[in-house]
Amino acid sequence: MQVRVNRAGWLEMTRLAQDLDVPLEALMCEAFNDVLTKHGKPPVVERRQPVK
């Protein structure tokens, strides 16, 4: 999945990820799940595990 956002949004999200010491991808999954929950859907988005 690819998401394109404005520069200000990108900077704030990367700063927040650094502040929380979590990967940006984890924040994005959390945000997607928040939207799903808001619309009555199950929060099923998870980070994909690397293939070994």
Side-chain angles (χ1 to χ4, degrees):
M1 177 184 294
Q2 187 176 46
V3 178
R4 295 179 184 262
V5 298
N6 64 352
R7 183 157 177 80
W10 176 259
L11 290 172
E12 286 303 320
M13 290 300 291
T14 56
R15 284 183 193 132
L16 181 58
Q18 289 174 348
D19 290 348
L20 298 174
D21 195 29
V22 299
L24 181 59
E25 189 176 271
L27 286 184
M28 303 314 285
C29 289
E30 181 181 344
F32 287 137
N33 281 323
D34 287 349
V35 171
L36 288 171
T37 301
K38 175 182 171 183
H39 292 281
K41 304 292 183 182
V44 295
V45 178
E46 296 178 355
R47 291 181 67 197
R48 192 163 68 173
Q49 299 302 315
V51 177
K52 293 182 180 181

